[in-house]
Amino acid sequence: MLLSIEDLQKSYPGPEGPVPVLRGVTLSLDAGETLALTGESGSGKSTLLHLVAGLDAADGGRVLLDGQEITALDDRGRAKLRRNAVGIIFQQFNLIPSLDVAANIAFQARLNGTAEPRELSRLASALGLEAQLRKYPEQLSGGQQQRVAIARALAARPKLILADEPTGNLDEATADEVLEQFLALVTGTGAALLMVTHSPRLAARLGRRAHLSQGRLA
Amino acid sequence: MTGAVLSALASHWRRNRLQLLTLVLGLALATALWSGVQAINAEARASYDAAAATLAEGQFDQLVPREGDSMAQEVFVTLRRAGWLVSPVVEGRLRVGGTAVRLVGVDPLTAPAGSTASAALARTDLAGFLRAPTLVAGPETAALLAANLPNPVLRDQTVAPGTVLADIGVAQELLGRAGRISRLIVLTDQPLRQRPLAEIAPDLMLRHADGASDVGRLTDSFHLNLTAFGFLSFAVGIFIVHGAIGLAFEQRRGMVRTLRALGVPLRRLIVLMVLELVVLATLAGALGIVLGYLIATLLMPDVAATIQGLYGADVAGTLHIRPAWWLSGMAMSLGGALFASASAMWRLARMPVLASAGGRAWALASGRTRKLQAAATVVLLVAAGVLAIVGGGLIAGFALLSCLLLGAALALPSCLAAILRFGEGRAVRVMVQWFWADTRQQLPSLGLALMALLLAMAANVGVSTMVSSFRLTFTGFLDQRLSAELYVNANGVADPAALMRFLETRADAVLPTMSVDATLAGLPAEIFGARIGYTYRENWRFLDAVPAVWDEVEEGKAVVINEQLSRRADLRVGAMLALGPGLSLPVAGVVGDYGNPIGQAIIGEALFRQAFPDIKPVRYGVRTSDPGGLREALLEELGLPPSSIVDQSALKAFSLSVFERTFSVTGALNVLTLAVAAFAILMSLLTLAAMRLPQMAPVWAMGTTQRRLAGLEILRTVLLAGITTLMALPLGLALAWVLLAIVNVEAFGWRLPMYLFPAEYIRLMLFALAAALLAGLWPAWRLARMEPAALLRIFANER
Amino acid sequence: MNARAWNCAAALTVLLFGFGNAFAQGFAGLGTDAEGFSVPEAGKQFQFPRDHGPHPDYRIEWWYLTANLTGPDGADYGLQWTLFRSALAPAEAEGWESPQLWFGHAAVTSALTHRATERFARGGTGQAGVTAEPFAAWIDDWQMVGDSLDRLRLTATGTDFAYDIEMQAQGPLVLHGNHGYSVKSAKGQASYYYSQPFFAVEGTLTLPEGEVPVRGTAWLDREWSSQPLAQDQAGWDWFSLSFDAGEKLMGFSLRDTAGGSFTSATWIEADGSATPYGDGNLVATPLETSRVDGRDVPTRWRLTLPDRALDITVGALNTQAWMNLSIPYWEGPVRVIGTHPGKGYLEMTGYEPR
């Protein structure tokens, strides 16, 4: 088993005390498996993703990735985890504005020391980005930016890819096209994919589906 | 509607208190330094004006003797009886309780109505003034007089500090100049018929009103200096304000769009925003004026000492609140705020209603701006070069300084970008590459603060180079000039002849100093008579001289002049200088003179005694191998008062202390300027911090700790400051060169050699880096301690 | 001529030199003076030319000349030249120590213009002074000089006018009051006062429009005293009139604050014989006032002296003959119609702005 989530709990401080967001979620994912996590706004989908990514610390429960207990890591350990084991794709793309496309794609791979020029150019061409490599993020369209974010995540060769509404900011035609390329590439790497979406149409394209409601899996 | 719009606009400040603080404090600091300097200038100018008015200088033409420093009283009566409406003045230094005051004797019956003398006297009991030996002075001086002299003393606020007014008869007696007058004031309205001046008083010359206020003219350079500093500080402050306002406007674009969509007319909106700005600027201006007053109060005693030391002009050591400076401070605050907001307002006014609320980064330099900047840089630097080559005069000197500084400041972002791009290209590791790239990304936002730092640092380097060069030259000069072991003041000596006899038997050599005020080459100057001996031959260094210069002078065949006279009258070695009627001598040497601003000519003792038989030595330099013993002997055997003997080391120490005090004001302003620059960096970083989160969050998400990012933030600030500081070094040296080779020559009449002080520069750089480090520390600490949730919000879908 | 000069000099002294306390001493007594000045006494015999010179023991003194002149086109002009002496102490000294202060006033009046200026000086330096023999009175470049008082040359310059005239006496000196002892109030204040009213004049006025040759007559007053005016005396109206028939009249009215007045007059025959008239004989009544420098100044008068069947109207040649100097007053030429037509001079002081 690649990813194992056990009774995961998380609250955020609110004006009238802590607001529970996750109330004990248990979920597991095997290598190569793809899972769509659906749920209405505020159901805790993104929070779950963030905890798995090591972006935030949980209040209770455990997350094990490839046998390593993420929830027990300190700040430094979580940074290392994000660098090495996880690839994250955000709805807002979150590219680094000061770096050009090539540097953005290579960024995480170079951080964890797995960067390989041939792999980078393969990803760029697979995503149709060859002509954009010297451009800066602000010069790209939304679809292009998201392709860069996908390339960046895949280039780092993570075991687990986390995607938070990756096509939420794109129009429908572009979204389908990007998703198609994305899924094809993910399948090729053998990595597991956990994708948050509220679109049943997208969720249908993935291997498994889980529905989150009010902080619990339905 | 207005109320609703105002509360919406104000809500921005409530939510961005730091921005509000930056704006108000930045403006207040800028105003403070400006109005502080203006307050000092206003006070000093008021003192000069009072002095000039008291002495009726500047306002009226004067008749002065062509040679010597006085004329017979009969000349006055002769002129009056020939139809010339003139009023006599006798003036001189009067020693009172250890200090000297300027005693001015006037004739109240003929003094012009516009002079302070007549106004002050009109307020006093004139009959009493004429019949008792009454003295009139400002409060400080009046207290001094009352404590030391038996004369009745009247206080009058309008009399200049350090000046005493008296009836001319009283003054003549106190000064020991019975029957002599120093000059004649020529009243403005003269009668129809007069006999020509050349016929009735050929020994007098007319000095026109505009050329008469020597003090004002001499000190102009000093005040221009202060004003330049004040303006520099203000410019630094305006950089801050421009940043804060630009940010606030950019952040409120969304609100503006919404308000306009809801039906608020653009014109109304802009008027209200200007109004809001005016209120803020008024608040900040008031705060700045209070701060400026405090600064000025702290600096004023030193400034007064400086002006006294440099120019011999008396300035009150206390500060009055004068509308001139606080109004100018308020105007600068309002004008500065409106100037700083002009471009933001312009963009806002042209923005379509439905423009994207996000917009581009608030200070991101577009290609066009960069081109404009580059063009301005080239123009300014070329102008600086042209001015350096062909420019003349103090104004040109300061124009050169402005062009150089502004040009360099505008060039800074491009230079920094080039350096950072170079670093980025050389980077191997990805974090290093990102670091360079991200630093470059920030340049447009930090650029203004860095320009401020560049200017402050360059000013520090330049001014400290100038002051230190000056100090080195000055101490060398003191060693040259103060070569006698003891100095005996002849004023306190009852029997000068006995003193002479005593010294000639007991000392190795006696060097009497005789001097007379004169007009040389049409400029106020002094002629000195010197007993040429080994002291002169061995110690004096010339800027230029003929061989055996002292022999020529000793034989009365030549004259030595100081650099000031040489430059102002364009007299080189070999040129002829007219010392008086029938007495013209070639210039045999030009000597550096850093102790006084006016021209000096030195002739041999014999020639001096022959030309000015009435002038007695005022001081004796005494060469001796046993100064202590000789001093004792003078005190005990001749009964001289201790105050009339000064030894060399005490005199040197005193001269140096005057020097140090002179430049303490400059030093203080320097530190303040640097502090303002550090504040600019801090405020820029703080306001940037929130905007930088989206840039840093992905890096964090890709696997970097907050702590590391914070560390990089500090490093980035220090790096930028470091590069800026390094670039400021050559700029500062250029500044020092302009100050030494151009401004000093114009202002003081001497050109100083330039020395370099690497240790001082390293100290300044460390100081600047420490300031930048301090400025970077807080924002970085906030980043390191930030809740992950704050970063996660960047990724939130709702955004 | 006494009142105007008296008042003028006294006011100058008060305003310029803070002599406020001198008024308080005004009633101290006739024969004494608190500060050691001599005081006029009846019965003094003048000695000429010595008494033409200054009397430094007395507090105030003046040489006061007015002239009625006519230009080649028949236009009338008035001319004034006055030298005041005011002593801070009854002594003389060399140089700036001198307590003697001197003031000069000069003016030229035509029907349309009035130009006036003043000078100040201290005695002891030579800038101003008077010598009796040969006679010279001067301040700066202004002077009145001659071998004797009978033949004088008079000059003065201002920024916009100058004059230079020759004067020749056509009659004797005239002593006012009791052989030159002239009483100034019911309380007994008095001065020494004599005149030379018989000068024939010829000379040149220099005005902005050019030089004007003039002829006419002039009247010189000499007066000195130490006693200030009485405290209740508000101002003076003084007349010096030369009638076409050859007689002359000096008269003054000293107004008190209660609305009453003290008058005095001297009737001078063509041969110089004089008759003094005490308080109440001369009656001066204002007929018309003019607005001058914010004040209402009477510029047309009715004068009556019943003993001489005199009933005349005196009108100003130029109602704006205002001496706008350190001490402002009205002084200008007048024309006389009625029982005794002629010309003369009028001086008025003490009219406050309203």
Side-chain angles (χ1 to χ4, degrees), chain B residues 344-426:
Chain B
M345 289 279 186
W346 176 244
R347 282 206 302 273
L348 191 76
R350 296 200 318 173
M351 186 178 78
V353 182
L354 288 177
S356 142
R360 48 200 190 114
W362 58 283
L364 192 73
S366 68
R368 225 189 74 178
T369 315
R370 257 204 301 276
K371 272 190 205 115
L372 269 178
Q373 244 178 31
T377 304
V378 170
V379 168
L380 284 168
L381 291 181
V382 166
V386 170
L387 279 168
I389 294 163
V390 304
L394 201 56
I395 301 291
F398 277 101
L400 165 55
L401 279 185
S402 319
C403 287
L404 188 66
L405 287 175
L406 264 180
L410 285 178
L412 180 71
S414 310
C415 292
L416 282 173
I419 291 171
L420 294 173
R421 204 173 288 122
F422 177 83
E424 191 181 340
R426 294 284 176 287

Side-chain angles (χ1 to χ4, degrees), chain C residues 74-303:
Chain C
D76 283 338
Y77 295 94
L79 174 154
Q80 180 198 348
W81 190 102
T82 315
L83 184 63
F84 300 95
R85 181 188 62 77
S86 174
L88 300 172
E92 180 56 305
E94 278 294 298
W96 305 110
E97 301 284 299
S98 166
Q100 304 288 331
L101 308 180
W102 298 82
F103 321 121
H105 289 184
V108 171
T109 313
S110 71
L112 294 174
T113 63
H114 177 79
R115 304 174 199 280
T117 186
E118 66 189 324
R119 297 289 176 87
F120 298 94
R122 198 174 332 186
T125 63
Q127 190 195 342
V130 175
T131 57
E133 202 174 10
F135 181 79
W138 75 93
I139 182 165
D140 295 340
D141 53 328
W142 302 1
Q143 51 189 7
M144 176 157 63
V145 289
D147 293 335
S148 75
L149 204 71
D150 291 344
R151 196 183 174 84
L152 295 171
R153 181 174 175 206
L154 181 82
T155 62
T157 53
T159 55
D160 54 356
F161 73 93
Y163 51 72
D164 187 344
I165 60 172
E166 302 277 353
M167 310 190 294
Q168 186 121 28
Q170 309 290 318
L173 295 173
V174 174
L175 310 187
H176 298 285
N178 179 8
H179 301 286
Y181 177 79
S182 167
V183 176
K184 285 293 175 305
S185 83
K187 309 236 166 51
Q189 273 93 348
S191 68
Y192 292 124
Y193 183 11
Y194 68 87
S195 303
Q196 169 47 277
F198 292 108
F199 280 121
V201 174
E202 196 170 341
T204 309
L205 306 180
T206 304
L207 298 171
E209 48 270 30
E211 299 209 329
V212 183
V214 288
R215 299 170 161 276
T217 60
W219 179 314
L220 172 69
D221 270 0
R222 284 278 296 118
E223 188 161 17
W224 64 98
S225 178
S226 293
Q227 292 167 307
L229 301 183
Q231 204 165 32
D232 62 353
Q233 290 176 329
W236 296 79
D237 306 303
W238 176 92
F239 304 85
S240 65
L241 309 175
S242 301
F243 303 120
D244 295 343
E247 303 102 328
K248 296 174 189 293
L249 173 71
M250 186 288 295
F252 62 83
S253 160
L254 176 55
R255 307 188 304 279
D256 62 41
T257 47
S261 64
F262 177 92
T263 65
S264 174
T266 304
W267 181 265
I268 304 165
E269 300 290 349
D271 65 0
S273 53
T275 313
Y277 288 93
D279 186 23
N281 286 290
L282 178 74
V283 178
T285 316
L287 297 178
E288 192 180 308
T289 63
S290 299
R291 198 74 188 150
V292 186
D293 195 36
R295 306 148 207 256
D296 295 317
V297 180
T299 46
R300 231 157 62 82
W301 291 80
R302 181 181 178 209
L303 257 57

Side-chain angles (χ1 to χ4, degrees), chain B residues 648-662:
Chain B
Q648 189 195 69
S649 58
L651 204 51
K652 270 183 193 166
F654 172 75
S655 301
L656 281 174
S657 78
V658 168
F659 179 91
E660 296 302 337
R661 244 185 350 189
T662 296

Side-chain angles (χ1 to χ4, degrees), chain B residues 112-340:
Chain B
S115 65
T116 304
S118 57
L121 296 180
R123 280 190 295 277
T124 60
D125 168 11
L126 198 58
F129 180 81
L130 287 179
R131 293 181 63 187
T134 311
L135 304 175
V136 185
E140 290 172 38
T141 313
L144 178 76
L145 295 172
N148 289 286
L149 293 174
N151 302 52
V153 178
L154 291 172
R155 270 156 221 274
D156 193 295
Q157 287 285 357
T158 60
V159 179
T163 302
V164 181
L165 279 178
D167 181 61
I168 183 162
V170 176
Q172 282 177 340
E173 194 183 324
L174 282 172
L175 295 170
R177 308 180 78 172
R180 307 295 296 175
I181 49 185
S182 306
R183 54 196 171 84
L184 291 164
I185 302 167
V186 182
L187 274 65
T188 314
D189 290 326
Q190 294 287 325
L192 280 182
R193 291 181 186 149
Q194 290 177 327
R195 284 170 60 202
L197 191 63
E199 199 178 288
I200 40 175
D203 294 340
L204 299 188
M205 61 179 196
L206 190 66
R207 200 162 73 190
H208 284 286
D210 50 340
S213 180
D214 296 334
V215 166
R217 207 180 47 205
L218 278 174
T219 49
D220 264 356
S221 53
F222 180 80
H223 292 292
L224 194 53
N225 234 319
L226 279 185
T227 305
F229 255 110
F231 194 76
L232 183 68
S233 313
F234 183 80
V236 166
I238 287 302
F239 281 137
I240 306 175
V241 176
H242 183 270
I245 291 180
L247 180 60
F249 273 62
E250 204 62 38
Q251 288 179 345
R252 288 198 292 190
R253 281 176 74 130
M255 179 195 292
V256 168
R257 191 190 57 170
T258 309
L259 287 172
R260 286 183 66 191
L262 292 175
V264 180
L266 178 66
R267 184 184 296 264
R268 166 93 54 113
L269 202 54
I270 289 189
V271 165
L272 287 177
M273 288 178 94
V274 169
L275 191 71
E276 175 193 47
L277 203 64
V278 166
V279 170
L280 285 174
T282 309
L283 188 80
L287 189 64
I289 286 162
V290 172
L291 282 173
Y293 180 79
L294 288 177
I295 292 173
T297 309
L298 291 176
L299 294 183
M300 198 63 217
D302 279 334
V303 171
T306 299
I307 294 168
Q308 166 72 50
L310 275 181
Y311 306 100
D314 293 300
V315 172
T318 50
L319 203 64
H320 292 95
I321 297 184
R322 294 172 199 279
W325 63 259
W326 69 257
L327 280 176
S328 103
M330 202 43 110
M332 285 300 269
S333 175
L334 285 168
L338 292 175
F339 172 76

